């Protein structure tokens, strides 16, 4: 038996070696010659490579080999456009002597986009799009929730490999002759074809912009949609846009006269992150209703389904629609207005129009203040105060680092109590955000699920349901607190989109994955409730204002007028306000960015103390995101509580130093800062000693240099004379001997 095993192993090794030799031989005899022949035909080479890349991108994006190939036949003309566009980018290499090197760079970019898209789709329903590059810094703040250590290692190894290959090719690849005429003709032909296809798609309405982002990419493919998202921004100019058209729209708007009730209420709008009625899931039973209070509200107050332009992500676009009344589908391909134009352009919004009625507008969000550019966008939307997570004390967090929603109740009530007038409080929650664990995880309130065979999905849904329960409890406690206040108040709550767990309409009893629910609650009887229970995110604002009896603002009154061709008129009005001539405002800029304050109260420093080589700063409104700055230098800061901070970066404090506390995001963006605390009475003896030292150090130094130089010259002269005398003595002795 012992002698047989080595023989079997040897036989296996021989067969393996024979197989590898056959593969190597086939590769050398067939593949390499075919590649070399194809290399000499650059256009054909780029076309073949582009076809493979396009197929590879679709397979990665759909997470399926079969669906990737099926896309070729479902949308052949779209696939062909993708091949042409990728070929166009690859043809840039024809203008360089190091053709292989440039070709590899372009190829690496396409492959990187494909991998990034595949990773993005593994934790959210929306693909990786061009706007993600502009939001990259904020996205890094939540990357730790989704990206694991093995994924980082794999990405790092991939980057190192690509860089290594690029360096090798740059040093060793042979230069090739460049036929600029031929290369130019190829590039121009491909450019004309790409642009022509794009124009034809636009002319014949091939691309349906009304589709939401995930469906659009699934139908039209990654290359087509990504390339469109690179160049397509802003509101599209209507064919018949003119001053006369806007004048006609203004006449329709004026059919709803501006009006306000005698007594204005406080208005609270709460956008609930990834919130929907899980009781609507097909074939799923829960041990208890995860959202009992929300269910009670929908049964007793005006409520209905809400059409939203998002699935599993794109929270900011739902915000944008609610606050402005504009339809995000009327803007560029996969556009995020918070990033593309609300960074420097004020627009009509609920905060601006209610501000004209002397409302104080608050925005509250228990997440980073610069996520989706909110710290800038909210100023152009007209908010007076923004309370992000960096300005909240006593926040608690989920296992994945999302702030729990119960912290928002204190902030909302604090906003209402901070003014004597009426308030508009817009709040965005965060607790329901993914990711959701595929293994059972301990929670504060456990809810079990039945009817699901997939254990991973079951654990995810149970965890998600427990987070919903806590958000629902936050709503209940908030409404109870409002009932105790002696002020008229209207509260609107709605889900921004379904969670990443649900990506098929068939999983829902009502059959639409782009719908959540809303409810309008009030502690007094509203003037009127609409019979149209189904709303869209961009019409909900006009709806609850109508219930209150408020008709102000152009877009709000256009929605309230409800003309038959409202979608067409709204599109023209949006273009006029954002990219057009502002005929609706007589050619003027109607609204200005507000000087927005961060936090309900300012951060203050009361006194400081230097103890055991540590500086303690005492004050109020400190948070875990408070950072100590001394004379403009950032110090490592330990948060002790809301009234005390500590730093070990200080050995002594001198008179006249400025100490400031800054509220900073994870990427060191300053949101707010305290008034400078100027030190006095610290290290006076040391300070005086340094002043005296500076007073006398220059003359003493000069005197020392002069004395040292004189002594040095003295010894040099003395040494030279001694050498000279010694030389004369030797000469005299030599003459005497002679």
């Amino acid at each position: 038996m012992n002698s047989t095993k080595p023989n079997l192993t040897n036989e296996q090794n021989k067969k393996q070696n024979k197989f590898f030799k056959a593969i190597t031989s086939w590769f050398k005899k067939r593949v390499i010659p075919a590649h070399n022949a194809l290399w000499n035909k650059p256009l054909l080479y780029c076309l073949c490579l582009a076809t493979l890349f396009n197929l590879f991108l679709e397979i990665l994006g759909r997470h399926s080999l079969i669906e990737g190939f099926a896309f070729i036949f479902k949308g052949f003309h779209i696939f062909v456009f993708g091949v042409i566009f990728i070929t166009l980018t690859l043809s840039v290499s024809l203008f360089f002597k190091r053709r292989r090197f440039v070709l590899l760079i372009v190829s690496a970019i396409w492959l990187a986009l494909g991998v990034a898209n595949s990773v993005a789709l593994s934790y959210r329903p929306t693909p990786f799009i061009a706007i993600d590059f502009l939001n990259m810094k904020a996205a890094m703040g939540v990357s730790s929730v989704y990206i694991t250590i093995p994924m980082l290692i794999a990405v790092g190894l991939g980057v190192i490999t690509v860089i290594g290959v690029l360096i090798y090719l740059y040093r060793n690849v042979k230069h090739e002759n460049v036929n600029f005429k031929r290369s130019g003709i190829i590039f121009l032909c491909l450019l004309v074809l790409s642009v022509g296809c794009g124009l034809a798609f636009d002319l014949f309405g091939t691309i349906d912009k009304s589709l939401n982002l995930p469906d659009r990419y699934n139908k039209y493919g990654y290359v087509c949609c990504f390339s469109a998202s690179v160049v397509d921004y802003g509101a599209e100019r209507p064919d018949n846009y003119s001053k006369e058209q806007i004048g006609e729209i203004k006449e329709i708007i004026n059919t709803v006269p501006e009006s306000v009730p005698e007594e204005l209420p406080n208005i609270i709008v709460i956008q609930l992150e990834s919130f929907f009625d899980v009781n609507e899931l097909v074939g799923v039973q829960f041990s208890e209703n995860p959202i009992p209070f929300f269910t009670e509200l929908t049964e007793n107050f005006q409520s209905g389904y809400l059409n939203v332009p998002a699935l599993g992500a794109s929270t900011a676009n739902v915000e944008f629609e609610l606050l402005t009344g504009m339809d995000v589908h009327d803007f560029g391909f996969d556009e995020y207005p918070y990033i593309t134009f609300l960074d420097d352009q004020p627009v009509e919004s609920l905060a601006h129009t209610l501000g004209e009625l002397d409302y104080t507008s608050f925005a509250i969000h228990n997440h980073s203040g610069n996520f989706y550019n909110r710290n800038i966008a909210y100023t152009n939307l007209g908010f007076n105060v923004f309370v992000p997570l960096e300005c909240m004390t006593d926040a608690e967090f989920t296992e994945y680092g999302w702030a729990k929603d119960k912290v928002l109740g204190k902030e909302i009530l604090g906003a209402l109590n901070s003014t004597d007038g009426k308030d508009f409080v817009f709040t965005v929650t965060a607790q329901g955000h993914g990711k959701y664990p595929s293994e059972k995880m301990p929670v504060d309130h456990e809810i079990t699920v039945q009817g699901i065979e997939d254990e991973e999905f079951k654990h995810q849904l149970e965890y998600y349901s427990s987070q919903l329960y806590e958000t629902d409890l936050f709503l209940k406690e908030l409404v109870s607190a409002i009932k105790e206040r002696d002020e008229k108040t209207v509260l609107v709550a709605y889900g921004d989109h379904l969670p990443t767990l649900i990506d098929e309409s068939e999983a829902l009893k009502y059959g639409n994955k782009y719908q959540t629910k809303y409810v309008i609650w009030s502690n007094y009887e509203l003037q009127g409730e609409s019979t149209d229970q189904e709303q869209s995110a961009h019409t909900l604002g006009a709806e609850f204002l109508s219930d209150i009896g408020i008709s102000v603002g152009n877009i709000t009154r256009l929605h309230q007028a409800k003309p038959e061709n409202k979608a067409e008129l709204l599109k023209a009005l949006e273009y006029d306000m954002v990219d057009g001539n502002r005929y609706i405002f007589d050619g003027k800029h109607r609204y200005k960015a507000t000087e927005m304050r961060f936090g309900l109260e300012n951060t203050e420093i009361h006194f400081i103390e230097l103890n055991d080589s540590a500086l303690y700063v005492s004050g109020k409104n400190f948070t875990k995101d408070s950072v100590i700055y001394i004379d403009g230098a950032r110090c490592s800061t330990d948060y002790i509580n809301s009234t005390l901070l500590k730093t070990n970066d200080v050995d002594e404090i001198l008179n006249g130093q400025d100490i400031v506390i800054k509220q900073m995001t994870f990427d060191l963006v300053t949101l707010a800062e305290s008034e400078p605390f100027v030190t006095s009475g610290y290290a006076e003896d040391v300070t005086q000693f340094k002043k005296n030292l500076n007073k006398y150090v220059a003359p003493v130094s000069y005197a020392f240099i002069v004395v040292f130089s004189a002594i040095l010259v003295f010894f040099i002269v003395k040494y030279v004379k001694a050498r000279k005398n010694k030389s004369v003595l030797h000469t005299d002795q030599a003459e005497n001997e002679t």
Side-chain angles (χ1 to χ4, degrees), residues 332-348:
F333 216 86
D334 308 337
E335 185 166 358
Y336 281 80
Y338 274 27
I339 298 172
T340 54
F341 64 82
L342 278 173
D343 58 339
D344 61 0
Q345 182 177 345
V347 298
E348 183 174 290

Side-chain angles (χ1 to χ4, degrees), residues 382-436:
F383 285 99
N384 305 109
V385 181
F386 178 27
V387 187
L389 180 61
E390 289 84 358
C391 297
M392 296 180 185
T393 58
D394 305 323
E396 297 179 16
F397 296 86
T398 69
E399 294 77 4
Y400 287 101
W402 300 106
K404 292 194 172 186
D405 294 335
K406 65 180 180 180
V407 72
L408 297 171
K410 181 181 71 173
E411 302 298 336
I412 294 171
L413 294 172
L416 297 176
N417 293 329
S418 66
T419 68
D420 295 328
K422 297 304 177 183
D423 304 305
F424 169 56
V425 184
F426 178 71
T427 304
V428 181
T429 72
Q431 184 169 352
H433 205 293
K435 116 182 194 185
Y436 312 105

Side-chain angles (χ1 to χ4, degrees), residues 529-651:
E529 293 187 4
S530 172
T531 56
D532 185 8
Q533 300 299 309
E534 184 174 315
Q535 296 290 331
S536 295
H538 64 279
T539 64
L540 183 59
E543 178 65 24
F544 67 71
L545 287 182
S546 178
D547 291 346
I548 296 169
I550 297 177
S551 294
V552 293
N554 293 286
I555 291 181
T556 294
R557 289 191 292 150
L558 177 63
H559 285 305
Q560 292 174 345
K562 298 181 180 179
E564 291 184 2
N565 58 339
K566 187 181 72 171
E568 178 186 346
L569 301 179
L570 178 63
K571 192 171 185 178
L573 191 57
E574 290 164 347
Y575 175 79
D576 184 62
M577 288 182 172
V578 176
D579 294 318
N581 298 322
R582 299 178 181 84
Y583 294 130
I584 194 69
F585 301 130
D586 298 323
K588 300 176 182 178
H589 291 273
R590 171 71 179 274
Y591 300 102
K592 295 181 180 180
T594 53
E595 294 183 5
M596 190 171 67
R597 187 180 80 238
F598 288 85
L600 293 178
E601 296 183 66
N602 293 325
T603 303
E604 296 180 6
I605 301 175
H606 294 160
F607 63 88
I608 63 174
E609 180 181 349
L610 189 62
N611 186 11
D612 297 330
S613 298
L615 176 68
Y616 292 87
V617 180
S618 179
K620 71 174 186 177
N621 300 322
F622 299 154
T623 72
K624 293 180 180 179
D625 295 289
S626 298
V627 181
I628 299 172
Y629 272 73
I630 301 178
D631 286 343
R634 181 165 58 93
C635 303
S636 61
T637 304
D638 295 327
Y639 173 80
I640 298 175
N641 56 49
S642 61
T643 62
L644 191 62
L645 300 174
K646 171 189 172 184
T647 179
N648 294 313
D649 291 354
V650 180
D651 294 325

